[in-house]
Amino acid sequence: MKLRVDYRASLRLVGTVLKYLAVPLCFPLVVALYYGESVLPFVVTMAVTVLVGTGLERLADDPDIGAREGFLMVALTWLAVTIVGAIPFLIEAHGIPFVASPIHPESTLGNPVNALFETMSGFTTTGATVLGDISFDSHTRGIMMWRQLTQWLGGMGIVVLAVAILPELSVGGAQLMDAEAPGPGIEKLTPRIAETARALWGAYLGLTVLEIVLLYGLNVTGHAQNMGVYNAIAHGLTTMPTGGFSPEARSIEAFSAAAQWVVIPFMVAAGTNFALFWHVLTGDPKRLFRDTEFKSYLGVIGVVSAILAGILFLGDGLMSVAPAGETYDQLYLEGIRTAIIGNVEPAVRQSVFQVVSIVTTTGYASIDFNAWSAPAQYVLLFAMFIGGSGGSTGGAVKIVRWYVIVKSLRRELFTTAHPEAVRPVRLAGRAVDERAIRGIYAFTLLYLVLFFVSTGLLHLDAARIGFDVSILETMSAVAATLGNVGPGFGVVGPMGSYLDFSNGSKLYMVLLMWVGRLEILPVLVIFTPEYWRR
Amino acid sequence: MRVIIIGAGQVGSSIAADLDETHEVVVIDCDPERVDELNYSLDVLALHGDGTSVDTLEEADVERADMVIASTDDDETNIVACATAKAISNAFTIARVKNTEYLRTWQRSEKAFGIDFMVCTNLLAAESIVRVVGLPAARDVDPFAGGQVQMAEFEVDEESPVANQTVSEADRFDSLTFAAILRDGEVTIPRGDSVIGPGDRVVVIGSPKSVQGFASSVSPDEPPGTAEEVVIVGGSEIGYHVARLLEERGFKPRLIEHDAERARELAEMLPGTIVMESDATDVDFLEREYIGDADLLVSALDSDEKNLLVSLLAARLGVERTVAVIDTTPYVDLFEAVGVDVGVSPREVVAEEITRFTREGGAENVALIESDKAEVLEIEVDAESVLAGKPIRESVATLPEGVVIGAITRRREFITPRGDTVIEPGDHVVVFVDSCVIDDVTPNL
C-alpha cells in the first residue's frame, strides 16, 4: 500500500526545528557559565540536536506541506523536542561514562521516564513536576533555567516560533500554526503568516520582558526580598506561557503579597488571545473590550473568584483540622486561618490568584490549596475545565468553546419551541459556521471522554502498585495534565509532585499532556488508519 | 431641459410620462415594440438601441442632454450606461439600482461609476414600508426637511372618532396642517368647516410628534409606536431591508423565508430578527406561531399574486394590518380594493424619487399623493420666490387654489405656518400642491 502522507517532508521540517533548538540552549549554558557550573549537559544536547536535526533534514529536499503533513510535523516536533530536551536532566543525574561524573546523582530526573515527564510538562506548559526536591541543592541553576525555558518556548508554540523565523516554513505555515495554536482556528493578522507569527511572538516577548522588569523592580525597591534577577527571569519565563514551573519549592507563596499581585495581571494577559494585544498595539485598543471572549473571560474569572473569596473570607473554604492520613502542620493551618478569615485583602488575593492561575492553566500557587476544604477545592476543580481564551497560551477547553456550547444549547431550546426558526450561533455579532460548532462539540466531548477514561485507568494503575490516592486526586491529576494546568489536589497538589505514580502512569500522562497541548484532534488523527490511507 | 431616459419599462415610462409636457425627453429602449408604442402614446422621442453603447447615446444627442436617467431593470446596465454618458457628455446622471452594495459604494465616493445620483429600488421600497409601521391607519408616510417634518396620509373609517367631525374639531395639534381631503379620487383643500366623512383620506403635514398624535386620534384603539408585532413574509432584498430598518428602530420582527439557504443567510445578517424557515401559506405553521396575533404583516415575496394571497390569508387569521409589495404598479389600487391595507410599488417609489431631481425650482424632496393626484414638495426658499419676505396670507393670495403651505423649518427648527408667518429666504417649506396647478406654481416658488 502506498502511503499518501509525505512523512519524509514532515520529518525534514521536524529536523529543521530540532537543529535550531541548539540556539535557545545557549541561554541555560550562559547561566551555567555565570554560576560556574558544568556546561556539559547543554553542550552535549546541542550537539545532539544539530546532528539529529541535520540528519532528518537529509530525508527530503523540498518539503511540500499539506494539511496532513502539517499535523504529523507538529505532533512529531513536540515529541522530538521533548525527547531531546530531556537529555540535560539525564546528564545531570548520570554524567557521561568515562568523560564526566554525575553532578547531582540523587536527582529524580535520572529516571528517563521522569525526565521525559518533566520535559513534556515543560514544553506543553503544564507545570506538573516529578522533581523530588525543588532546590538549588539538588539541581544546578543552569538545569533549572532550562526547565523554565522549555515552558517559555512551548507557550506561544515552538512551531509558531519556527514559522516566525524560518523562511522555509512560510509556505504551509498557516497549516502548521492551525495544528498547533490553541483554540478553534487561527486569526491571520497580516497577509504573510510569518509576520503574524512574529507579531504574536513579539507581544509574547514584550510582556515577558515587562514582567521580569517589574518583578525585579519590586526587589530593588524592597517590596520582594527574594525576587532576585534569577527569580525574576525564572518567573517571567514561566508566567507568560501559563507554565507554572517555579524554581521555588513553595511556588509563589515564597514571595511577598506585592509580588503575587504583580503576577496576577500577567497570568490574565497570558490567558488572553494574543491577537488582541496586536490590535491594541496597532492602534485599536477598544477592540479589547469589544471582544466577546475577552469579556466572558474576565467575567468568569470575576464570578469564580468572588465565590471563592466569599468562602475563604467566611472560613468555610479552609480546613481547621488536617484530615486523617494527611500530615499537615497544624500550625500552618492555624496560620492560614488567622491570616484569611475576616481579612479582605488576603481572602481576595488568595482567591483571585488561585482562580486566575487555574483558569489560565498557569498552575502557580500562592498558598497550598490542599489546606482548603472540599467546597473550595471543587471550585478549583471546576475552574480547571474552563481554560483561557483561544489564541492564548492557556490550555483546557477554553472560554470560546464553552461560550459557543452554551449559546448553541440555548438555540436548541428555542428551536424546540419554534421548529421552523433559523438561528445562527453568534460570537461577537458574527455567525459561527455550523461545521465549527460541530468541531467544538466533538473536541469538548472527546476531552471529557478522555478525562473520564484516563481517570479510570490511572486509578486502576495506582491501585495495582498500592499507591494510595483518592478519586478526587486522580481526577485532578488527569484534569491538570490533560488541561496543561499543572498541580492538582492531594499528593499532586501545588507543593507536591507526580513522582509516586508508576512509570506506566507517568508515560500515559506524558501522552495526555502532548494530546492536551495540541488540542487532541491533531494528535489523535495521526493514529487513525484513514489518515494514512490514500 | 433635455432628458434622456434609458429603459422604457414601468419606471422609465412613468418618469417619461411625468416629464413629457415640460421637458424635451428622449427614451432609449432595446425593445422595438415598446419604442413604437411610446412614440405614439407620449410626446417623447423614443429610440431603439442599447443604452450602454456610445453610438446610441450619440444618436440621442447626449452632448446636448442635461440629464441622463438609467432606469432599466438591470443594475449593471444602468451603471455602465451612466458611466458611458458621463464619459462623452456633461449630463447629470441618475442610475436606478436594486443591489444596495452598489449604493453603498456610491455613497462612499459620490463620484463612483460616474453617477451623480443613485436610487436604490429595494432600499427605498423598504424605507417607505417601514415608515408605515408605528402609525396605525397610515397609508403613506414621507419624511421632509431631514425628518423634521412628516407628511402622512390616513384613511378614516366609520368607527374612527374623527369621522364626521369638522377639520377644526379634528385639529387639536399645534404643529399640524390639514393639506387635503381625498374623496372618491377627488382632491379638496379643506377649510375649518369642512367635514371629514367616513371613507375619506386626509393628508396632514406637521412635526412627527403631532402626526403621531393625530394617528392616535384617528384610531385610538391602537396607540402608535408601541411594541408592534411585525411579521415579514419573504426574504427578498426588500424583506431583508424592512427587517434591518425595523431592527434599527428597536423592533424584533419575525421573518418567514422558505428557502433554507437564504433563511440561514438572513439569520446571519439579522441578529435582532427571528428568521423562520417555512412556507407562508402553511396554515398549520401560521397558527402554531400565532401569526394572526401580529399587528402588521409585510408580504415581500417575489410575485404579486403570492403577496396578495398571503395578505388575505393573514387578514383572515386576524393580522391587524397588511402591507404588500406590488411590482406591477397598476395593481396597487386593485389590491387595496380587495383587502390589502397598504400596497407599496417599488417602481413607483423610485419614479417618485427620480422625479424630484427633474423638478424646476429646486424641490428638495417630492412625495406623490394617490400616484399623481397631488404632490407634496419640499422647497428651499430663495430671494426670488413669491413666498419670500411676505406673510403667508399675502403670498397665498397670489397663488392659485390647490396650494397649501404645510410646514416650515428654519435652521432646522420647526415653525407652524400661520397666516401672519413671514417666510425668509433659506427656509425650507413643505407645500402641498394639486396636480392641476403644479406646472403654474412650481416655477414661482
Side-chain angles (χ1 to χ4, degrees):
Chain A
M1 185 178 76
K2 208 176 155 208
L3 294 175
R4 196 179 171 185
V5 180
D6 185 2
Y7 67 93
R8 285 161 180 276
S10 307
L11 280 174
R12 188 216 135 103
L13 292 179
V14 173
T16 308
V17 174
L18 212 50
K19 188 175 76 181
Y20 285 106
L21 189 65
V23 179
L25 272 160
C26 294
F27 183 61
L29 186 124
V30 170
V31 173
L33 277 176
Y34 178 81
Y35 287 103
E37 298 161 351
S38 167
V39 295
L40 213 55
F42 307 109
V43 173
V44 172
T45 313
M46 285 159 93
V48 172
T49 59
V50 172
L51 273 176
V52 177
T54 39
L56 287 175
E57 278 192 321
R58 283 164 187 262
L59 280 176
D61 297 335
D62 192 11
D64 185 16
I65 289 287
R68 295 192 187 193
E69 285 78 18
F71 290 133
L72 188 63
M73 182 267 174
V74 169
L76 289 182
T77 299
W78 286 74
L79 204 57
V81 295
T82 299
I83 294 169
V84 176
I87 296 174
F89 299 126
L90 293 172
I91 294 178
E92 184 194 40
H94 297 292
I96 300 168
F98 316 114
V99 180
S101 50
I103 308 165
H104 285 296
E106 74 285 10
S107 165
T108 51
L109 298 186
N111 173 351
V113 171
N114 286 349
L116 209 58
F117 185 99
E118 197 76 4
T119 321
M120 187 57 99
S121 174
F123 277 118
T124 58
T125 77
T126 306
T129 186
V130 285
L131 279 190
D133 177 28
I134 303 177
S135 75
F136 296 124
D137 297 331
S138 42
H139 298 283
T140 64
R141 283 166 204 273
I143 285 291
M144 291 292 266
M145 191 52 85
W146 171 237
R147 180 176 172 259
Q148 286 128 25
L149 188 67
T150 55
Q151 295 210 315
W152 194 72
L153 292 173
M156 189 46 74
I158 301 169
V159 177
V160 177
L161 180 59
V163 170
I165 49 188
L166 303 179
E168 55 263 53
L169 288 185
S170 56
V171 179
Q175 312 268 16
L176 302 179
M177 273 174 68
D178 193 28
E180 187 189 65
I186 56 159
E187 189 183 344
K188 271 199 180 186
L189 301 171
T190 55
R192 285 186 191 280
I193 193 72
E195 261 170 55
T196 297
R198 274 197 286 274
L200 294 175
W201 262 88
Y204 182 58
L205 179 69
L207 283 166
T208 306
V209 170
L210 181 65
E211 189 190 1
I212 293 172
V213 169
L214 287 180
L215 286 176
Y216 187 60
L218 283 180
N219 176 269
V220 173
T221 53
H223 293 289
Q225 277 193 329
N226 47 353
M227 190 58 85
V229 176
Y230 186 93
N231 263 338
I233 293 175
H235 289 93
L237 289 182
T238 52
T239 309
M240 283 319 293
T242 69
F245 272 163
S246 170
E248 294 287 340
R250 304 297 299 171
S251 189
I252 309 295
E253 194 187 14
F255 301 100
S256 64
Q260 295 174 6
W261 277 117
V262 168
V263 171
I264 290 173
F266 284 97
M267 291 195 287
V268 173
T272 304
N273 186 347
F274 275 72
L276 288 176
F277 295 131
W278 188 82
H279 291 303
V280 169
L281 291 174
T282 49
D284 190 7
K286 280 193 207 119
R287 179 106 178 223
L288 191 60
F289 293 96
R290 275 206 317 263
D291 190 77
T292 316
E293 189 184 16
F294 185 65
K295 284 190 285 192
S296 341
Y297 167 65
L298 291 188
V300 164
I301 289 177
V303 170
V304 179
S305 305
I307 293 170
L308 194 57
I311 304 179
L312 294 182
F313 183 80
L314 298 172
D316 296 331
L318 296 170
M319 283 184 192
S320 45
V321 203
E326 296 283 349
T327 52
Y328 279 119
D329 193 337
Q330 194 62 32
L331 275 177
Y332 180 73
L333 291 185
E334 284 303 321
I336 291 177
R337 288 181 68 84
T338 42
I340 294 178
I341 297 173
N343 293 318
V344 175
E345 192 272 343
V348 170
R349 171 163 46 88
Q350 297 298 0
S351 59
V352 171
F353 192 99
Q354 255 59 237
V355 168
V356 168
S357 171
I358 299 279
V359 166
T360 62
T361 74
T362 308
Y364 280 150
S366 63
I367 194 168
D368 186 352
F369 49 76
N370 270 335
W372 291 3
S373 61
Q377 292 198 344
Y378 282 119
V379 171
L380 290 188
L381 182 66
F382 163 76
M384 280 187 183
F385 288 89
I386 300 173
S389 315
S392 75
T393 63
V397 178
K398 294 193 181 58
I399 305 272
V400 62
R401 291 201 178 91
W402 288 122
Y403 186 85
V404 169
I405 287 172
V406 169
K407 285 209 110 175
S408 71
L409 288 180
R410 268 179 30 204
R411 187 237 323 248
E412 288 308 312
L413 291 180
F414 188 87
T415 48
T416 307
H418 303 275
E420 288 86 2
V422 183
R423 304 212 109 185
V425 172
R426 281 171 200 284
L427 186 62
R430 278 207 188 153
V432 182
D433 185 51
E434 296 300 323
R435 272 202 353 232
I437 297 177
R438 218 168 59 208
I440 286 171
Y441 271 112
F443 170 85
T444 313
L445 194 64
L446 258 176
Y447 194 93
L448 295 177
V449 166
L450 257 176
F451 169 75
F452 285 112
V453 169
S454 305
T455 304
L457 288 176
L458 288 186
H459 208 67
L460 278 178
D461 187 61
R464 182 182 63 84
I465 62 161
F467 174 39
D468 183 30
V469 285
S470 71
I471 194 80
L472 174 71
E473 286 170 307
T474 321
M475 280 168 90
S476 76
V478 173
T481 46
L482 181 61
N484 302 143
V485 179
F489 303 115
V491 285
V492 297
M495 313 304 167
S497 86
Y498 287 71
L499 193 56
D500 295 332
F501 279 100
S502 74
N503 277 347
S505 284
K506 279 186 272 194
L507 277 178
Y508 185 76
M509 285 191 269
V510 167
L511 184 77
L512 284 186
M513 293 189 270
W514 183 37
V515 166
R517 171 59 179 83
L518 298 179
E519 307 219 300
I520 307 181
L521 295 169
V523 181
L524 284 197
V525 72
I526 62 174
F527 293 108
T528 60
E530 288 77 15
Y531 171 79
W532 294 97
R533 245 177 244 144
R534 197 175 252 282
Chain B
M1 206 159 56
R2 189 182 173 82
V3 181
I4 299 178
I5 298 170
I6 299 161
Q10 288 187 43
V11 176
S13 323
S14 130
I15 299 168
D18 210 49
L19 300 180
D20 69 341
E21 280 178 33
T22 42
H23 300 286
E24 217 179 293
V25 179
V26 183
V27 182
I28 300 173
D29 199 281
C30 53
D31 177 357
E33 270 179 46
R34 220 184 283 167
V35 169
D36 252 12
E37 206 182 293
L38 267 184
N39 269 329
Y40 289 107
S41 62
L42 293 176
D43 189 14
V44 298
L45 169 65
L47 295 173
H48 172 235
D50 176 358
T52 60
S53 98
V54 174
D55 289 345
T56 315
L57 286 172
E58 275 174 347
E59 196 188 331
D61 219 350
V62 73
E63 286 103 59
R64 285 206 303 119
D66 301 288
M67 189 177 282
V68 173
I69 300 169
S71 64
T72 71
D73 262 342
D74 184 71
D75 287 2
E76 288 77 10
T77 304
N78 292 341
I79 290 171
V80 173
C82 281
T84 312
K86 203 70 181 177
I88 55 174
S89 75
N90 291 318
F92 189 92
T93 53
I94 299 177
R96 162 199 177 201
V97 294
K98 291 184 187 135
N99 189 337
T100 36
E101 283 303 318
Y102 293 136
L103 181 73
R104 231 173 295 156
T105 308
W106 178 77
Q107 278 168 338
R108 275 200 146 208
S109 150
E110 295 204 350
K111 290 193 285 280
F113 313 125
I115 292 169
D116 294 308
F117 185 62
M118 192 181 257
V119 280
C120 180
T121 319
N122 293 327
L123 189 62
L124 286 174
E127 280 170 349
S128 71
I129 290 170
V130 168
R131 281 197 295 269
V132 175
V133 179
L135 285 179
R139 315 207 51 135
D140 190 8
V141 184
D142 276 301
F144 289 92
Q148 303 261 319
V149 179
Q150 256 183 6
M151 185 283 295
E153 188 185 329
F154 290 97
E155 180 154 287
V156 179
D157 60 18
E158 277 167 42
E159 282 115 65
S160 170
V162 180
N164 300 316
Q165 284 188 337
T166 62
V167 166
S168 44
E169 278 170 329
D171 185 5
R172 292 183 289 273
F173 305 93
D174 278 349
S175 38
L176 193 76
T177 307
F178 278 72
I181 296 176
L182 308 168
R183 188 176 297 157
D184 305 325
E186 291 295 311
V187 179
T188 28
I189 305 297
R191 290 149 36 141
D193 54 359
S194 309
V195 177
I196 303 169
D200 285 357
R201 291 185 184 181
V202 289
V203 177
V204 294
I205 298 169
S207 69
K209 220 176 140 193
S210 62
V211 171
Q212 284 240 324
F214 182 69
S216 51
S217 69
V218 173
S219 53
D221 306 342
E222 303 162 49
T226 49
E228 263 194 89
E229 268 249 10
V230 183
V231 175
I232 303 156
V233 177
S236 58
E237 272 296 298
I238 295 179
Y240 160 69
H241 284 294
V242 169
R244 187 178 63 79
L245 294 169
L246 286 175
E247 274 184 15
E248 278 176 15
R249 284 174 53 180
F251 286 85
K252 264 195 156 290
R254 280 184 286 173
L255 195 157
I256 303 166
E257 163 65 44
H258 74 281
D259 180 74
E261 226 170 281
R262 177 67 179 163
R264 167 80 195 184
E265 199 180 301
L266 287 165
E268 288 185 7
M269 293 188 292
L270 297 164
T273 302
I274 295 169
V275 178
M276 322 204 84
E277 182 201 325
S278 176
D279 193 320
T281 53
D282 175 351
V283 179
D284 282 346
F285 159 76
L286 296 176
E287 282 176 354
R288 189 167 62 237
E289 289 293 338
Y290 297 99
I291 298 298
D293 290 354
D295 299 299
L296 184 85
L297 181 132
V298 177
S299 52
L301 295 163
D302 48 17
S303 119
D304 290 353
E305 291 76 10
K306 281 190 211 155
N307 284 332
L308 177 65
L309 182 66
V310 166
S311 301
L312 296 180
L313 190 61
R316 216 183 141 93
L317 285 171
V319 173
E320 294 275 342
R321 239 164 19 124
T322 54
V323 179
V325 173
I326 302 166
D327 237 15
T328 319
T329 316
Y331 286 180
V332 173
D333 283 344
L334 179 68
F335 281 21
E336 288 187 352
V338 296
V340 172
D341 290 310
V342 180
V344 172
S345 158
R347 291 196 166 92
E348 190 180 46
V349 174
V350 156
E352 216 172 87
E353 185 77 4
I354 291 176
T355 307
R356 115 181 194 201
F357 265 97
T358 55
R359 283 271 167 262
E360 256 184 320
E364 299 279 310
N365 205 341
V366 178
L368 303 181
I369 306 288
E370 293 283 279
S371 295
D372 56 355
K373 296 267 167 19
E375 285 181 19
V376 177
L377 311 170
E378 178 185 341
I379 289 159
E380 190 178 332
V381 173
D382 56 21
E384 277 118 63
S385 166
V386 291
L387 300 175
K390 273 185 274 185
I392 288 177
R393 196 176 293 111
E394 281 177 35
S395 49
V396 168
T398 65
L399 291 167
E401 279 275 309
V403 181
V404 178
I405 309 284
I408 304 165
T409 59
R410 183 172 300 160
R411 287 178 288 275
R412 308 195 62 78
E413 288 286 321
F414 187 92
I415 295 171
T416 312
R418 293 284 174 255
D420 47 6
T421 312
V422 179
I423 295 174
E424 294 171 7
D427 287 0
H428 280 238
V429 177
V430 180
V431 225
F432 175 93
V433 189
D434 196 324
S435 314
C436 346
V437 294
I438 192 132
D439 297 327
D440 307 333
V441 172
T442 38
N444 301 324
L445 292 177

